[in-house]
């Protein structure tokens, strides 16, 4: 998954994050389930793009027109609990699916970062290499009689491990818990200027800002236009 703060890869070894920092150095860390099983990894719906891999000098090992997917799913990570990783706009979402009568308390994730913390808004702060990355405060819901029923949920945190505590819910129905990866930094080690007159909301819920910077801006995805500084001061346009 390519996000606006870097790349996230999913394998049977765990969920690996390679995220850009304010010093332009990629910071990496991994998420793994505690006492969980990542052996059963399945693909979701097919995406509209294909992928070709031309690695090495042996053309017989090259691959072309490989299918790509909107999501992948770890099945039965814990008894009755699946984890789905899904590309969402320029970010990544993790869905924890708790089957009827399964235990939310079984969910426990280990993060191989320098420090985990909770901020005042209930977001999970991952600190690595002098940078901070957010997993947004989770939301949870059930679908009962074709209606979405919201359920109170928040992180629990102990050392390098996090889980969830939820309010009352109907254990006869599946429960879904959803945190999102979010970036917390856009800028350089120089003085940026953001024009308060040029901040626009987009129809898809995003925000576009315009300003200027004399430095190389961190938090820009690798596919962004003009990621290097071209002079004393450059125009900066970003969408969140």
């Amino acid at each position: 998954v390519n996000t606006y703060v870097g790349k996230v890869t999913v394998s049977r070894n765990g969920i690996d994050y390679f995220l850009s920092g304010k010093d332009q150095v990629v910071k990496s860390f991994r998420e793994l389930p505690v006492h969980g099983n990542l052996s059963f990894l399945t693909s979701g719906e097919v995406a509209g793009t294909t992928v070709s891999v031309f690695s090495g000098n042996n053309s017989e090992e090259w691959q072309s027109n490989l299918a790509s997917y909107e999501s992948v799913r770890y099945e039965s990570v814990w008894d009755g609990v699946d984890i789905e990783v899904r590309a969402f706009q320029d970010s990544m979402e993790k869905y924890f699916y708790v089957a009827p009568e399964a235990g939310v308390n079984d969910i426990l994730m280990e993060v191989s970062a320098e420090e985990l913390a909770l901020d005042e808004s209930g977001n999970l702060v991952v600190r690595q290499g002098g940078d901070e990355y957010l997993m947004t405060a989770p939301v949870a819901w059930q679908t009962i009689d074709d209606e979405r029923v919201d359920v109170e949920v928040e992180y629990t945190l102990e050392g390098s491990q996090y889980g969830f505590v939820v309010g009352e819910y109907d254990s006869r129905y599946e429960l879904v818990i959803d945190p999102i990866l979010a970036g917390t930094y856009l800028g350089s080690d120089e003085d940026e200027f953001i024009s308060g007159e040029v901040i626009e909301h987009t129809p898809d819920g995003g925000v576009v800002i315009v300003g200027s910077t004399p430095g190389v801006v961190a938090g820009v995805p690798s596919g962004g236009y003009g990621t290097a500084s071209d002079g004393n001061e450059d125009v900066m346009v970003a969408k969140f």
Side-chain angles (χ1 to χ4, degrees):
V1 179
N2 289 313
T3 77
Y4 61 89
V5 288
K7 181 179 291 186
V8 181
T9 64
V10 180
S11 72
R12 291 182 174 87
N13 294 320
I15 304 172
D16 290 298
Y17 298 81
F18 305 91
L19 308 181
S20 61
K22 57 180 178 290
D23 56 2
Q24 297 297 308
V25 176
V26 173
K27 311 299 168 58
S28 63
F29 54 90
R30 172 177 288 181
E31 271 193 278
L32 282 171
V34 178
H35 305 305
N37 179 17
L38 297 182
S39 299
F40 304 106
L41 182 60
T42 61
S43 57
E45 59 188 277
V46 178
T49 58
T50 58
V51 178
S52 297
V53 180
F54 306 103
S55 179
N57 297 322
N58 187 354
S59 61
E60 293 183 358
E61 296 180 355
W62 295 349
Q63 297 174 293
S64 60
N65 297 321
L66 301 175
S68 62
Y69 301 91
E70 298 289 349
S71 66
V72 292
R73 186 162 177 152
Y74 297 107
E75 297 183 350
S76 300
V77 179
W78 300 277
D79 188 21
V81 180
D82 293 356
I83 301 175
E84 182 183 41
V85 179
R86 174 175 290 271
F88 174 71
Q89 295 182 354
D90 291 327
S91 189
M92 182 273 288
E93 285 188 281
K94 289 196 304 288
Y95 293 91
F96 295 82
Y97 295 95
V98 183
E101 308 302 336
V104 176
N105 293 335
D106 290 339
I107 299 175
L108 190 62
M109 300 293 289
E110 174 93 22
V111 182
S112 64
E114 294 168 357
E115 184 182 6
L116 299 185
L118 295 175
D119 67 14
E120 295 179 354
S121 300
N123 301 308
L124 179 66
V125 182
V126 181
R127 297 190 174 109
Q128 183 77 333
D131 286 291
E132 293 186 350
Y133 307 96
L134 288 188
M135 303 291 181
T136 60
V139 295
W141 70 89
Q142 297 181 283
T143 301
I144 301 176
D145 297 330
D146 295 324
E147 296 287 337
R148 171 169 165 153
V149 179
D150 291 329
V151 176
E152 292 184 358
V153 60
E154 60 185 29
Y155 289 111
T156 61
L157 183 61
E158 183 173 349
S160 60
Q161 300 176 352
Y162 75 87
F164 303 100
V165 59
V166 299
E168 293 186 6
Y169 71 99
D170 193 332
S171 61
R172 297 174 299 172
Y173 297 88
E174 180 183 67
L175 174 69
V176 183
I177 303 174
D178 175 21
I180 303 175
L181 171 67
T184 61
Y185 185 87
L186 179 73
S188 69
D189 54 3
E190 305 290 345
D191 293 326
E192 274 74 43
F193 171 76
I194 302 297
S195 173
E197 299 178 355
V198 193
I199 300 178
E200 297 290 338
H201 293 271
T202 60
D204 61 359
V207 176
V208 174
I209 63 171
V210 175
S212 61
T213 177
V216 178
V217 174
V220 176
S222 59
Y225 175 81
T227 57
S229 176
D230 289 327
N232 292 330
E233 191 162 342
D234 296 318
V235 171
M236 177 175 63
V237 181
K239 178 184 177 184
F240 295 88

